[in-house]
Every structure is written in structure tokens, then in C-alpha cells.
Amino acid sequence: MNANLLFGSMLVVSIGVSSCATGGKEQNTGTKPVFSAEDMDLSVDPGTNFFEYANGGWRKQHPLPDDKSRYGSFDLLAEENKEKVKLIIENAAAQNAEDGTVSQKIGDFYASGMDMDAINKAGIKPIQPLLSKINSIEKQDDIVKVISFLQQQGINPLFYYHATADQKNSKMNIAGVYQSGLGMPDRDYYLEKTDDAKKLRDAYQNYLTTLYTLSGHAETEAAKKAELVFDFETSLAKASNSRLENRDPHKTYNKVDINGVEEMVKPFPFASFIKGMGYSVPAEINVSQPEFLAEVGKLYKKEKLSTWKTFLTSVVLRNTAAYLTQDFVNANFAFYGQAMSGQKEQEPRWKKVVNTTNGALGEAVGQLFVAEYFPPAAKKRMDKLVENLRIAFGQRISQLEWMSDETKQAAQEKLDAIRVKIGYPNKWRDYSDLKVVKTSYVENILASNRFELDFDLAKIGKPVDQDEWFMTPQTVNAYYNPLANEIVFPAAILQPPFFYLDGDDAVNYGAIGVVIGHEMTHGFDDQGRLFAKDGNMEEWWTAEDSEKFNARTKVLVDQFNQFEVLPGVFANGELSLGENIADLGGLLISYQAYLNSLNGKENTEKIDGFTDKQRFYLAYSRVWAQNIRDAEIARLTKVDVHSLGSNRVNGPLPNVQEWYDAFGLDAKSPLFITPEERASIW
Ligand SMILES: [Zn+2]
């Protein structure tokens, strides 16, 4: 759902994996000291494993609940938020508000999702119109018509068609086409020869088989269909870009007109596909993966109508399974929750429905969330912190030994031009055109998808709305958008362990300060540096500086490639490079900002038994405290650009001299890296 949040700006980079895990009920009371010995493990040597030293106690006190694949302080905050959002939703529902009001929509959306009796009773009836449409395919043209129809419902069998800022003219929106069609979370799962990948492929085929049996097919027939679909998807997987390739903004920028697209995807009639959705053909379209489109064209030409019908049916079933009967929900969980992520149990129903309600009416819920939970004082303190971080980053740029004056000048200009959004949007989304009923959950989901598609595609050919947010205020996360050169901090992240409204400076600089610095450096990481201050993709570095930058980041790639995350499985230093640059840069910049705040004085006060400098690094580490299952480690290592929590701590810190100094560590520490081998970028 909400494809526009994900694809409206493909290059948006966030601070952490968006939290989907759920559980416990612990609240941050704000009265507990930020650090106490019980949250740490003082028996661990900080120079051997700083992550465990800082978080060992916390990790023991927060074992993984059965319904979670990862549980960290990040997730805990997201959990607490979910409780708050639930209250907001329940309040809206209790008002029995007039039809068409926002309260009615929030309340009824939630109620429709919680009414399992009605959902079970309806069976697959709510998706029958979609399945009938597929069954009515009689000739090749019909395939395109049906795909257009499904696309309108937010179901994207082959590609995402969306609005996106033009990378070379970033003030304007154009149309974009992006690869889709896979039921497993990454192309690699279809292609890898490892035992684990094979196991997951089997689990996926079982899942597809179950979906077909649940929708009325005999077991053997269902298994045959599943195999057919799997082969079809494997063809798409082979032609899909890898995640690494998709991080390359040059490779994914291929702007053409409609004739250009039709040439790539021939004989698939792309113009008819757009018109079939009810939209006119735009002047400019960016194709992110041309090779993928060529494969779609081949499949369109060669596959039988019956294969297409089977494939399209599977896409509908797996896109709606989570919202159908309990049997469908269980099958969906068995694959995506258990097999993929190692979850033992499903999270309570209400948490899932809070998520979908949040997805469908995000800013309506967000408006209520902000009114209730976001104090104006938090925004004020953040404004100040952000400006202090900007100053510190500027100082560090001017002192860099490896960068030429010419590039420094342009970098300062880009830094000065970064726009900042804190808390919530200036103007809120209008949900007037979204119709929500109390009687059908699936109908509501599909209506929301149509509403989102309309909202998104209406932007094509129009100037970019600078006030738009790609996250809701109640999201625990933050992002940098290179096409707008902006950093964005939703209200929900401005709470412990990120932000302590009453906390001391050392702790706030160590936590939210590093997050701010992290986001700022994204404008200058391996991807963000390819965009200039106005968000346009253009070269503003001298060739020599680019070379030096690449050599310096290579050190970080090599360091992270050495982390063995599971027996025989290593972290992907290239995929996570942008994030690792950001973590290391954020640490250095925020530390500098903290020193600036002391005005040359020494802070000698110990709080909770720790010096200010120790608290800075402990606060940073606390943000990444977590427990995680092996299956989730394997999955995230493949799909997530962020490093695992332990590596976000033990990875960057040994590159930082001030960290060694704060804890009195030296060359005898196992984490020690000699000064010449350290990564040093910002
Ligand atoms: Zn990031």
C-alpha cells in the first residue's frame, strides 16, 4: 500500500529500517536515568564489544517476543507509538461521527479490519470482481486491459507506474516506470544456489499453492499453478536490477517519450496501458530498468494466455491475502513472517490493522497525533540542534585535507541550501475523495489504493510540491531526499532514545544529533553527492576529489565486508556504504557540534556515573540496542541498506579517535584499528 510513499521518490534514504515488528507494552517514563548500569553489561570490555558493553543489560531485559523477528530500542519506541495511535483511532471510532468526516473514515477503516467474523464470512467474495476480470481474458489485448485495471486497485503485476521528480530537472514531476512483479522480497532469492535460498523458494511455492487451494482449486492443480507462477517470476527476477544497481542514479535514469518506452517493452502497448488506467500519456517517462521492460515484452509475446491468467491471479491473491480470511492471513504469515523472518507467532490483529489504517489515512491520523503528543518546545530545541549541526558540518568541510577548495565551496553551498522539515507538514492531505465503509476491509484497502494512485499520478507534469512529506508524523524514522536536498524528522522520532526533551546536551548530541548529522551527510554520500544543491543530478566535484572520495569510502566498504553476520554470511559493505558513511559522518559532525556548544569549556559533570563524552557515545549506541533472529539477519543483510544494529555501533566507532579517548582504550583492544587504516571522510 501507499506505493507513492515508497516510489514517489525512489532515492529517499532513511535512518533505519521501517519498523514492522511489534510487541511489549513498556513505556518510556522519562524519569529513569538515560544510562544505568543495569542496561549496560559492565562485565564486557568496551574495547572488545562496545555494542554489548553499552546494551547488554537492555538486551537481557528485552528478549525477543515470539511475534517479533527483531526487537530493539527503535522498535520499542515504534511500539509505544502504536499504542498512542490506537488510542487516537479508538477515540475517532467512539465518536460515531457523521459520514464523510475524517473521524468516520478512521473509525470505520479500523472497525472493518477488526471484524474477523465478517471477513471470514465474506471469503474471497471481496476480490471476486478482480478474479473475474482476469478470467475474462480471451485475447492478448485483454491482458493489458486487465493489468491497467489491477494497477488502478494498487496491484502492480509488472511495474510501478508513478510520479517522480525529474533527476535532471528536480522542480518538475515526470512519470516513472519501476520494476515489480516478484512475490519474494528480492531477485536474489530466485537465483541464488544456496540451501537457504532453495528452502525459501520451496516455502514460497508452498505459499502460492495454499493461496490457490484456498481460492477453490484442487491441491494438484494448485501446485502446478504455483510452479508456473514461480517460473514466470524467475524470468522477471533474472531481468531485474539488483539492489546495488538500483542505488546507481545514473543507471536508473533513462528519460524517454512514449515511443521510447514502447520501443523498450515492445510489443507490449504501453500507451494503451496508461490510457487503460484512465490517464493521458505524459510527455516524459523515466524508465528505471530498461532491461526489465524488454523481458516484459518478451513474456508478453511468448507466454500463453492461460499462463498470464495464472500469474495475474497469483498477484491478486498475494496482494490481498493479508486482508482476507484467517486462513489467508495464516498462509501469508507462514511465508513472510515465519519462513522469511523467523517470527514464531503473529502479532495481535489490532497492530496490523493500526498499520493499515495508518497507511490509508496517515496524515489524518498524524494530525491528531501531533496535536496530542508533539510539544512545540521539542520543535524549538530541534531547530537549534539542526542549525548547530549545520555549522559543525561546515567547519569540518572547511578543514578537510583531501578536498579541493573548489569542491569545498560547492559543498558549503549545498550544505547551506539543505531544507529542514521538523515534526509535521505545513499543510495536510485532504481525504475528502476517499470513501470508507464499515462493512468491507478489502474494499477499503482497494479504495485507499485507488485514492493514492490518483493523488500520485495527478502530479505528473506539474511542479514538485515542496511541502510534501514522504513519511507521516507518527513514523519513527527520518530521511534525506536528494532530489529536494531536504532532511525530514517526523514528530515520532523526537522522543527517547533519540531525543530527550529534558536530557543533557551530551546525550542529545550523541543520539538525535548524530541522526541529524547522518541525514545531512546523505547529501554527500556515494549517492547523494551526485546531486547538486538544487537537487539536480550533475557533477559538481572535481575529478580528483571524486577519486579521493572513492578511495576513502573503499576503506569503509572493506571494513564492513569483513563482518561475518551469520556463519559464512558477510555484511554487504557496498550496499550499505551510504548508510555507513552517514553513521560515521554523523558521529564526527555531532561530536564537533557538542564541543562547539561547550564554548571551549570543559564539562566535568558526571551523570549516571559517566563523563559527558562517554554519554555521547553511549547515547549513540543505545539507539541501536536490539535482539534479532538469524532468519531476520539473513533477510536484512540481503534487502536492507542499513547495517545491523551491532555493526552500526562496533563498525564506525573504531574509526573515531575521540571514542578511544573517552573510554581510555588503546591498541590492545580487539576493536582497535590503526590510525592509517581508519576510514576518514567527513
Ligand atoms: Zn541513512
Side-chain angles (χ1 to χ4, degrees):
M1 191 148 60
N2 277 357
N4 70 311
L5 281 186
L6 293 167
F7 296 95
S9 190
M10 284 309 305
L11 295 161
V12 159
V13 274
S14 65
I15 179 78
V17 275
S18 57
S19 195
C20 50
T22 46
K25 283 193 174 162
E26 184 176 333
Q27 300 290 322
N28 271 312
T29 58
T31 51
K32 203 179 151 206
V34 178
F35 305 110
S36 61
E38 66 193 78
D39 284 345
M40 300 172 62
D41 186 345
L42 299 174
S43 72
V44 173
D45 167 38
T48 302
N49 185 346
F50 194 76
F51 174 75
E52 196 57 27
Y53 167 77
N55 300 318
W58 191 98
R59 295 181 66 219
K60 278 196 197 82
Q61 293 156 40
H62 299 88
L64 268 164
D66 283 347
D67 65 352
K68 286 195 172 17
S69 54
R70 185 195 68 192
Y71 196 43
S73 51
F74 207 116
D75 305 294
L76 189 63
L77 176 56
E79 278 299 290
E80 292 167 6
N81 251 0
K82 209 166 277 181
E83 303 270 358
K84 290 175 184 166
V85 170
K86 183 186 180 214
L87 280 180
I88 289 171
I89 291 172
E90 284 174 346
N91 281 340
Q95 288 169 24
N96 284 320
E98 212 177 299
D99 215 27
T101 58
V102 163
S103 292
Q104 174 266 321
K105 290 176 190 182
I106 294 173
D108 284 356
F109 199 104
Y110 185 71
S112 74
M114 291 304 290
D115 191 351
M116 265 334 276
D117 286 345
I119 292 170
N120 284 330
K121 219 167 132 197
I124 60 165
K125 222 167 100 195
I127 58 166
Q128 203 57 63
L130 281 62
L131 300 177
S132 304
K133 202 90 172 176
I134 295 168
N135 280 329
S136 73
I137 291 177
E138 282 177 352
K139 52 186 192 306
Q140 205 185 25
D141 280 3
D142 296 340
I143 298 172
V144 183
K145 284 183 194 143
V146 169
I147 292 175
S148 299
F149 169 75
L150 293 178
Q151 209 93 8
Q152 285 176 315
Q153 325 301 319
I155 294 171
N156 309 288
L158 297 170
F159 19 65
Y160 297 97
Y161 180 70
H162 63 281
T164 176
D166 183 345
Q167 279 172 217
K168 291 196 175 172
N169 180 21
S170 64
K171 300 280 178 282
M172 286 301 292
N173 283 308
I174 57 171
V177 187
Y178 202 93
Q179 68 191 25
S180 171
L182 306 183
M184 292 209 274
D186 192 274
R187 74 190 278 273
D188 288 357
Y189 288 110
Y190 294 83
L191 310 175
E192 274 180 1
K193 297 203 162 47
T194 61
D195 286 350
D196 280 351
K198 201 186 159 304
K199 246 186 251 163
L200 287 170
R201 282 196 286 273
D202 290 344
Y204 182 54
Q205 287 206 39
N206 284 339
Y207 173 49
L208 292 174
T209 305
T210 308
L211 290 181
Y212 281 112
T213 49
L214 287 176
S215 55
H217 296 275
E219 178 92 33
T220 45
E221 193 197 340
K224 252 188 231 155
K225 284 178 183 290
E227 211 180 316
L228 201 66
V229 169
F230 186 80
D231 290 344
F232 191 97
E233 289 185 21
T234 303
S235 303
L236 293 176
K238 282 182 186 156
S240 296
N241 270 4
S242 70
R243 270 170 208 268
L244 204 55
E245 288 169 320
N246 282 336
R247 280 198 78 237
D248 179 349
H250 289 293
K251 187 172 171 68
T252 53
Y253 188 71
N254 306 285
K255 192 168 76 169
V256 287
D257 62 9
I258 187 65
N259 295 327
V261 182
E262 292 210 317
E263 183 58 35
M264 289 173 190
V265 70
K266 74 184 172 199
F268 185 95
F270 206 84
S272 306
F273 158 72
I274 297 173
K275 287 183 210 148
M277 285 189 286
Y279 296 91
S280 53
V281 173
E284 298 177 310
I285 303 175
N286 183 55
V287 177
S288 295
Q289 298 89 6
E291 298 89 350
F292 180 82
L293 257 62
E295 181 63 27
V296 168
K298 270 189 218 154
L299 292 169
Y300 182 67
K301 197 170 157 191
K302 94 172 179 207
E303 292 294 350
K304 288 190 276 203
L305 290 184
S306 58
T307 303
W308 276 101
K309 285 186 189 180
T310 305
F311 168 68
L312 293 172
T313 302
S314 78
V315 177
V316 168
L317 292 174
R318 67 173 162 77
N319 272 282
T320 52
Y323 319 119
L324 290 169
T325 67
Q326 193 62 50
D327 288 341
F328 275 97
V329 171
N330 293 347
N332 182 270
F333 171 74
F335 179 65
Y336 291 107
Q338 276 176 317
M340 286 300 321
S341 296
Q343 250 173 291
K344 292 189 174 152
E345 236 174 50
Q346 295 190 48
E347 56 182 356
R349 178 82 187 173
W350 72 262
K351 292 188 180 174
K352 300 182 195 178
V353 183
V354 161
N355 284 347
T356 49
T357 309
N358 238 339
L361 289 143
E363 287 199 7
V365 175
Q367 202 167 352
L368 300 169
F369 177 88
V370 165
E372 187 95 11
Y373 298 108
F374 188 58
K379 184 170 175 350
K380 241 179 153 175
R381 188 149 183 202
M382 268 299 280
D383 282 335
K384 183 108 177 72
L385 276 167
V386 169
E387 286 323 307
N388 289 348
L389 262 291
R390 200 196 298 261
I391 291 166
F393 195 5
Q395 289 168 336
R396 291 195 70 89
I397 289 172
S398 68
Q399 288 158 14
L400 291 176
E401 286 166 18
W402 58 272
M403 191 183 260
S404 69
D405 287 344
E406 191 188 338
T407 306
K408 276 183 185 174
Q409 174 68 29
Q412 297 282 10
E413 283 170 21
K414 180 166 184 182
L415 177 63
D416 288 343
I418 292 178
R419 295 190 301 129
V420 186
K421 293 174 174 172
I422 294 169
Y424 53 92
N426 290 333
K427 57 171 201 237
W428 297 95
R429 278 281 295 276
D430 176 4
Y431 290 95
S432 309
D433 291 338
L434 174 61
K435 196 168 151 27
V436 177
V437 296
K438 203 171 192 162
T439 45
S440 172
Y441 189 39
V442 173
E443 235 172 76
N444 285 336
I445 299 267
L446 296 178
S448 162
N449 288 351
R450 287 192 295 271
F451 176 75
E452 292 298 331
L453 187 76
D454 276 335
F455 176 76
D456 187 48
L457 297 190
K459 297 179 212 163
I460 295 172
K462 300 209 180 98
V464 169
D465 177 2
Q466 305 235 332
D467 289 328
E468 191 183 355
W469 283 50
F470 293 113
M471 276 178 192
T472 62
Q474 63 274 33
T475 308
V476 181
N477 215 329
Y479 68 86
Y480 174 76
N481 177 4
L483 297 176
N485 193 23
E486 66 178 6
I487 51 178
V488 183
F489 304 94
I493 199 174
L494 303 178
Q495 304 176 68
F498 290 96
F499 178 69
Y500 302 83
L501 189 55
D502 305 314
D504 66 298
D505 276 350
V507 160
N508 273 321
Y509 278 100
I512 196 73
V514 177
V515 174
I516 298 166
H518 171 114
E519 298 304 339
M520 282 180 174
T521 67
H522 273 316
F524 306 84
D525 69 18
D526 57 324
Q527 190 179 62
R529 76 179 194 87
L530 304 173
F531 296 82
K533 64 176 179 183
D534 53 6
N536 286 333
M537 186 167 71
E538 67 189 38
E539 195 53 76
W540 54 274
W541 295 54
T542 66
E544 207 192 337
D545 287 333
S546 288
E547 244 169 64
K548 286 183 182 162
F549 176 87
N550 290 334
R552 281 168 180 267
T553 57
K554 173 83 170 40
V555 178
L556 215 47
V557 171
D558 293 343
Q559 283 181 10
F560 276 80
N561 277 342
Q562 283 169 26
F563 285 119
E564 190 172 16
V565 294
L566 289 171
V569 181
F570 290 83
N572 187 339
E574 248 181 319
L575 183 65
S576 57
L577 177 59
E579 294 302 325
N580 298 331
I581 295 172
D583 281 342
L584 176 57
L587 275 163
L588 297 171
I589 296 162
S590 192
Y591 191 84
Q592 168 102 41
Y594 174 62
L595 291 186
N596 289 347
S597 78
L598 295 177
N599 281 324
K601 291 194 199 85
E602 196 67 29
N603 179 358
T604 52
E605 188 190 6
K606 279 195 177 183
I607 301 180
D608 308 330
F610 297 98
T611 68
D612 59 333
K613 285 161 191 163
Q614 290 173 333
R615 288 202 308 282
F616 177 93
Y617 294 110
L618 288 169
Y620 171 74
S621 306
R622 177 56 42 81
V623 165
W624 303 114
Q626 60 182 234
N627 286 302
I628 184 166
R629 291 187 202 285
D630 286 354
E632 186 69 350
I633 290 178
R635 187 183 74 87
L636 290 178
T637 301
K638 210 179 277 301
V639 305
D640 193 4
V641 293
H642 304 89
S643 295
L644 298 169
S646 55
N647 293 345
R648 294 187 81 156
V649 175
N650 290 343
L653 287 176
N655 291 297
V656 179
Q657 185 55 45
E658 291 81 358
W659 169 73
Y660 293 101
D661 297 343
F663 291 89
L665 304 173
D666 57 26
K668 290 194 287 297
S669 296
L671 286 176
F672 181 80
I673 301 177
T674 59
E676 353 13 298
E677 286 175 330
R678 287 178 198 165
S680 163
I681 298 147
W682 303 117

